[in-house]
Amino acid sequence: MTKAMPTPLSGPKSRAAFTAARKRIPGGVNSPVRAWSRLGGKPPVIARGEGAWIEDVDKRRYVDYVLSWGPLIHGHAHPAVVKAVQDAAAKGLSFGAPTASETALADMLVAAIPGMQQVRLVNSGTEATMSALRLARAATGRDLIIKCDGCYHGHADHLLVAAGSGAATFGEPDSAGVPAAFAEKTLVVPYNDAAAVTRMLKKHKGQVAAVIVEPVAGNMGLVLPQPGYLKALRAACTAHGTLLVFDEVMTGFRTCYGGYQRIAKVRPDLTCLGKVIGGGMPAAAYGGPRAIMRLLAPEGPCYQAGTLSGNPVAVAAGLASLKLAARSGFYDRLGKRLTGLISAMAKQAAQHGVPWQAAQVGTMWGWFFSDVAVTDFSSAAAAHMERWAAFTRELYLQGVNVAPSPFEAAFFSSAHGKAELVHTLAATDRAFAAAARV
Ligand SMILES: *Cc1c(COP(=O)(O)O)cnc(C)c1O
């Protein structure tokens, strides 16, 4: 008897389009996770999106919980966002000169993030974190930074450092092409371990410019900060003259209006934003108190620039998205709907006898096939990967799009209504059944 071939995850037109892509684009993708390497399949090639749904070139439709990796809090092609983009585009795509709309976006960000008095707009989260750390180094005159194992802060050289060989060692590059001399400036500690940060700050007394952290970790799956963790980081940084940088590129305007810092009641020195603030267009930002921000060129000695920074079309998409999100009860409404979905999924998992845990903050969520509490990267990596793969494959076949990696968060939008939830729960029931067979 021959072993049955697994059902292909994407249709014939997608497979052909992806083969063509691979000829001209490394791996067929412009960002690695899109290649679905972990599932061994070829990804669907997307033709359009509307509301909570995306449609591929085979006209297969999926309820989308990736949402462009977080930005699309109002779903795909929201009419108000599309209109704002069209209106802005008709007036000129880019000027490389001051515009009133970029000040309007800066005003909204400053109003939403306590402690942020000024903000610089950039094009990507990578630029935001890279620039914030340069600024932290300029402000402190120190070179070292501390980051957490499993936290992702974009692909700048100093930040492409993950585990090294444990908390006490210097970081090792996570990518070829990163000079060891750069990676050595990055110290790595486990997430949710404030004592490890304090030990590191003591060991390298007077040398650490910044601690950078995702206040809710969203790049090792979704991992919540333990109670008191962020406050302890704040105290340790203050005691050592080290700046605390919150990378809220994912959590900003996702967990609530503003940053997760509002929920945690912890004030970082610098905040990085991206994703939702661009509404699906390339816009990101970093900001903090005037006393630090004034060190940036042209006022100060710390250089940072961008041909397309504050791009009027991207800013228009961001402004329109934030205005929609600022309506009263927005995050509450979405959060409650998502909580309902998660508890229905938890019931299904239990019915199928599959150990499964989920976490949610506002409109961000994630899950692990594990029965031990996931608090850091090593516990995330210890989850059941075959079950995750079986579950995820079945979701695609049933028309639900989630991240093709166990180390990514899921998202939710105002376009996910009753019909989408019914469709999703029918799919998850079959997906848990598939996971139970592993
Ligand atoms: C997505 C992300 C980044 C990188 O943003 P890009 O726009 O992809 O460069 C940085 N930090 C966090 C926490 C992110 O989730």
Side-chain angles (χ1 to χ4, degrees), residues 124-126 152-154 214 219 247 249-250 275:
S124 69
T126 294
Y152 179 68
H153 303 293
E214 291 179 69
N219 287 284
D247 179 353
V249 169
M250 188 186 289
K275 299 200 167 109

Side-chain angles (χ1 to χ4, degrees), residues 33-356:
V33 70
R34 298 178 196 172
W36 285 28
S37 319
R38 268 179 183 271
L39 291 163
K42 288 183 179 173
V45 172
I46 303 305
R48 57 193 302 272
E50 188 182 3
W53 297 82
I54 50 175
E55 187 179 297
D56 68 16
V57 292
D58 292 285
K59 298 212 181 304
R60 294 188 184 181
R61 285 161 57 78
Y62 306 81
V63 172
D64 186 16
Y65 294 97
V66 178
L67 295 168
S68 191
W69 304 93
L72 304 179
I73 199 164
H74 308 296
H76 294 271
H78 188 284
V81 180
V82 171
K83 169 113 188 4
V85 165
Q86 286 171 335
D87 289 351
K91 291 185 194 149
L93 297 181
S94 178
F95 308 110
T99 60
S101 65
E102 60 190 3
T103 308
L105 182 56
D107 275 339
M108 283 189 92
L109 300 180
V110 164
I113 311 258
M116 187 190 267
Q117 294 171 326
Q118 287 197 318
V119 61
R120 178 58 69 79
L121 300 182
V122 292
N123 303 291
S124 69
T126 294
E127 277 184 70
T129 54
M130 178 185 84
S131 310
L133 290 176
R134 183 182 301 142
L135 181 57
R137 285 169 162 149
T140 56
R142 302 173 178 182
D143 282 350
L144 298 180
I145 59 166
I146 296 177
K147 80 174 281 289
C148 293
D149 185 10
C151 278
Y152 179 68
H153 303 293
H155 63 87
D157 282 340
H158 296 206
L159 291 164
L160 272 188
V161 177
S165 50
T169 58
F170 281 104
E172 296 195 357
D174 211 22
S175 162
V178 175
F182 288 11
E184 276 167 14
K185 305 291 181 203
T186 303
L187 309 167
V188 179
V189 295
Y191 189 69
N192 267 326
D193 187 348
V197 171
T198 300
R199 277 197 302 276
M200 207 62 104
L201 287 170
K202 282 188 179 147
K203 187 169 166 203
H204 302 278
K205 211 169 175 54
Q207 298 174 61
V208 180
V211 172
I212 184 167
V213 69
E214 291 179 69
V216 177
N219 287 284
M220 49 176 120
L222 186 76
V223 178
L224 302 178
Q226 304 278 85
Y229 172 60
L230 298 171
K231 285 203 165 95
L233 291 185
R234 175 67 278 176
C237 286
T238 303
H240 287 267
T242 294
L243 299 187
L244 179 61
V245 180
F246 274 5
D247 179 353
E248 300 232 39
V249 169
M250 188 186 289
T251 52
F253 297 91
R254 256 282 155 211
T255 53
C256 65
Y257 190 84
Y260 185 75
Q261 53 194 270
R262 244 191 62 206
I263 296 173
K265 299 193 170 61
V266 173
R267 189 171 289 192
D269 297 291
L270 293 171
T271 299
C272 301
L273 296 166
K275 299 200 167 109
V276 172
I277 73 155
M281 296 286 288
Y286 64 104
R290 167 91 189 117
I292 300 178
M293 296 303 285
R294 58 183 278 281
L295 297 173
L296 283 175
E299 286 190 80
C302 182
Y303 192 74
Q304 181 268 313
T307 300
L308 296 175
S309 292
N311 175 267
V313 185
V315 163
L319 275 172
S321 293
L322 294 191
K323 279 178 193 157
L324 289 171
R327 288 173 309 179
S328 97
F330 179 83
Y331 289 88
D332 256 11
R333 210 160 47 241
L334 268 66
K336 283 199 183 106
R337 212 181 297 155
L338 176 56
T339 305
L341 173 63
I342 293 172
S343 41
M345 285 173 69
K347 262 191 210 131
Q348 292 176 333
Q351 278 159 6
H352 289 286
V354 177
W356 185 80

